[in-house]
Amino acid sequence: MGMAADIQRAYFDAIRSGDVDAVRALFHTEYEFVDEEGVTHGVDGSVEKVRVYSSAFPDMEFDIHRQLELGDVCVMEATVIATHTGTLFGVPATGRRISMEYCNVIEVRDGLIYREHDYNDNLAVMRQLGVVPAQA
């Protein structure tokens, strides 16, 4: 693997440890972020998102299944496993374990994360937390 894969691994190590300063340091000044909401968060929004999830799931782990690199682009498929011990978007801690399939795509420019796309299923997480009823 090359530089993009190394940067992606460093990024997820920083997320796992809740080190928002290290996360911020990996973002390009023109960083763009797109997730399931289709929203571009920018650096501050993405740092806040890391802070929210790290606070709600401080034991968050990424079981990485595959990491594929093509030039400046790297794709990672993983399962996120964590315990809900803090508030998440107004949902108080439930103590429940969650498991979510996850895909992250980054594009690197000037040795930093320039673009990032997250693909995940927050509805499945809310079902596991008991916030949304399970499918019939």
Side-chain angles (χ1 to χ4, degrees):
M1 290 279 164
M3 180 180 62
D6 291 343
I7 290 169
Q8 191 176 47
R9 281 192 298 274
Y11 178 46
F12 280 90
D13 287 344
I15 291 171
R16 186 181 299 112
S17 68
D19 187 346
V20 294
D21 292 331
V23 167
R24 183 181 294 280
L26 289 168
F27 291 149
H28 193 279
T29 56
E30 297 175 27
Y31 170 80
E32 294 179 351
F33 177 85
V34 179
D35 63 7
E36 69 281 357
E37 298 169 357
V39 177
T40 302
H41 295 284
V43 172
D44 291 335
S46 290
V47 168
E48 181 57 26
K49 188 171 185 174
V50 168
R51 186 176 286 124
V52 165
Y53 278 96
S54 295
S55 177
F57 300 102
D59 67 344
M60 185 171 20
E61 289 295 328
F62 298 90
D63 181 13
I64 299 172
H65 307 299
R66 183 177 328 184
Q67 193 179 28
L68 305 168
E69 184 179 65
L70 180 60
D72 292 337
V73 175
C74 195
V75 177
M76 181 187 74
E77 295 176 326
T79 302
V80 179
I81 302 163
T83 308
H84 183 221
T85 59
T87 301
L88 178 67
F89 304 122
V91 177
T94 62
R96 293 184 179 190
R97 295 277 293 163
I98 61 106
S99 175
M100 176 186 68
E101 296 308 309
Y102 175 73
C103 181
N104 175 266
V105 181
I106 66 164
E107 179 183 342
V108 173
R109 184 179 287 176
D110 304 323
L112 298 168
I113 300 171
Y114 174 71
R115 282 200 184 102
E116 178 182 11
H117 288 248
D118 268 357
Y119 301 93
N120 58 56
D121 187 354
N122 281 329
L123 179 59
V125 171
M126 292 299 155
R127 284 184 174 136
Q128 291 174 60
L129 297 180
V131 176
V132 175
Q135 286 181 303

